[in-house]
Amino acid sequence: QSVLTQPPSVSGAPGQRVTISCTGSSSNLGTSYVVHWYQQLPGTAPKLLIYGNNNRPSGVPDRFSGSKSGTSASLAITGLQAEDEADYYCQSYDSSLSGPVVFGGGTKLTVL
Amino acid sequence: QVQLVQSGAEVKKPGASVKVSCKASGYTFTTDAIYWVRQAPGQTLEWMGWINTVNGNTKYSQKFQGRVTITRDISANTAYMELSSLRSEDTAVYYCARGRYGSGSYHFDYWGQGTLVTVSS
């Protein structure tokens, strides 16, 4: 049971827009702690996709964007491409005994 | 370019210990913390602990407290994670990652390639 809750899977057709949610609580996202997102392609290490709620590292396409409101955060991917098929994880700070680093359970994105 | 290169796969028997290394290059090693994260087969990411590369101070997840030890060798630009009293549930890929601080929390901008640790009798 992960501290941050994500849907197990989402899917979309090429060119479509999909969103992945990340729901927390008062000890993490609800305390204005920021959220970060990672993409993990099969058999590889995670890659930083979004940091500080909505900042993209150099090299990450602007098709990827993040937002946060209250105890929830979202990752949006527009113009879906086959290469986006991967697992996505959210991560934040948690002030409870679970922390300080907590991850979501991960979401498998399937490009139809 | 920033790189974190980890040691190779390990097979251990239950009760044994394993020590994984993480060699950093392409940046000043003492600029940033090193975190260790593991991922059991088909599971999510799980934070284990981190080390302040300047002074060697560490913080461990409650789950691994007493079993994990993270150290660093500044002269070798290398961090180490040792996990003891291994059990089958410790079979996982172990990652090191560089922690960057901002807006009240750390994120991980560079990751090692991962080290598979298999615990089997």
Side-chain angles (χ1 to χ4, degrees), chain B residues 36-38 46-50 59-62 64-65 68 70 81-83 94-95:
Chain B
W36 288 88
V37 175
R38 80 175 188 182
E46 185 174 33
W47 169 72
M48 299 181 69
W50 67 280
K59 183 171 178 64
Y60 303 125
S61 164
Q62 271 215 325
F64 300 100
Q65 192 81 37
V68 67
I70 299 174
M81 185 284 299
E82 184 170 21
L83 188 62
Y94 290 76
Y95 294 103

Side-chain angles (χ1 to χ4, degrees), chain A residues 36 38 40 45-46 89 91 100 104, chain B residues 39 44 47 95 105-106 108 111-112:
Chain A
H36 318 293
Y38 302 87
Q40 187 176 34
Y89 297 91
Q91 176 242 319
Chain B
Q39 186 173 37
T44 187
W47 169 72
Y95 294 103
S105 86
Y106 280 90
F108 312 121
W111 295 66

Side-chain angles (χ1 to χ4, degrees), chain A residues 21-94:
Chain A
S21 63
C22 174
T23 303
S25 67
S26 58
S27 63
N28 42 69
L29 300 185
T31 316
S32 72
Y33 293 120
V34 296
V35 66
H36 318 293
W37 291 91
Y38 302 87
Q39 176 193 61
Q40 187 176 34
L41 298 171
T44 69
K47 168 191 169 185
L48 180 65
L49 206 59
I50 297 287
Y51 66 95
N53 294 339
N54 54 15
N55 300 289
R56 285 186 309 276
S58 172
V60 173
D62 59 6
R63 301 187 297 105
F64 296 90
S65 63
S67 63
K68 177 179 171 287
S69 178
T71 57
S72 293
S74 288
L75 172 71
I77 309 172
T78 58
L80 207 56
Q81 300 179 3
E83 67 208 47
D84 299 333
E85 186 160 294
D87 293 323
Y88 293 83
Y89 297 91
C90 58
Q91 176 242 319
S92 185
Y93 177 96
D94 191 289

Side-chain angles (χ1 to χ4, degrees), chain B residues 103-116:
Chain B
S103 304
S105 86
Y106 280 90
H107 60 272
F108 312 121
D109 62 347
Y110 287 93
W111 295 66
Q113 82 276 21
T115 297
L116 175 62

